[in-house]
Amino acid sequence: MTTSVETLGERGSAAGLMSRLSDQVRGVRTRASGFGYDRLMMVAGGVLMPVGIILILLGWAGAARTPFAWEQNDYLISGGILGLGLVFAGGFLYFSYWNTVRINESRTQTRQVIAALGRVEALLSGGASVDDTGRAIAAPRRFVATPSGSIFHRPDCAAVAGRTDVKDVNVARTSLKPCRICNPLDG
Ligand SMILES: [Zn+2]
């Protein structure tokens, strides 16, 4: 806490404080969505449960030591009931931790399945390659020309549609001009 008081004194201005606060909130959010929050739940659960059990044992030991009912009540409440509460809270945190792990695993699996389906879909629709997330990678563009032509086209241009004698054109090396109907070099 001393650090935040010192920083507050240094910065002073409300704007500085606000930006610092939002930085911290962002940090909390990032941790919550990452692995840190899971770990926190696991550790808290692992600490709360034994502490609760120790409290119950202490309460029992305390209550057993005194013959007075009113004193036993104190031990029962602070040792027994509080201990029981902590055991439950710890167990719930532990349970939540495993649930989070399970959910994360199933999300990863779903992502992998979707990516695989994307690859299958891309292959079925004409062999475009895809990256790991299933997004299509732009295929190298192909241009064609007729054997005697002086212009080159997109393969689907109306001027070459249905022709089987077209040859591939390397745009970087060709002296042919781009077609004005299909504008092969646009987009
Ligand atoms: Zn054309």
Side-chain angles (χ1 to χ4, degrees), residues 144 151-160 178-184:
V144 297
I151 55 180
F152 65 92
H153 309 266
R154 296 170 195 262
D156 57 352
C157 175
V160 293
C179 164
R180 285 197 206 149
I181 299 170
C182 59
N183 293 313

Side-chain angles (χ1 to χ4, degrees), residues 82-158:
L82 181 64
L84 209 60
L86 289 183
V87 169
F88 269 106
F92 183 74
L93 281 173
Y94 222 83
F95 175 75
S96 303
Y97 163 70
W98 282 114
N99 239 7
T100 313
V101 169
R102 245 166 27 95
I103 288 169
N104 282 343
E105 265 172 17
S106 100
R107 272 188 195 149
T108 309
Q109 223 166 30
T110 307
R111 261 198 300 276
Q112 284 166 347
V113 168
I114 289 174
L117 282 177
R119 284 194 293 274
V120 169
E121 190 184 344
L123 283 173
L124 287 176
S125 68
S129 40
V130 291
D131 60 19
D132 284 342
T133 62
R135 265 189 290 274
I137 297 166
R141 286 165 67 200
R142 186 176 161 248
F143 304 108
V144 297
T146 57
S148 58
S150 60
I151 55 180
F152 65 92
H153 309 266
R154 296 170 195 262
D156 57 352
C157 175

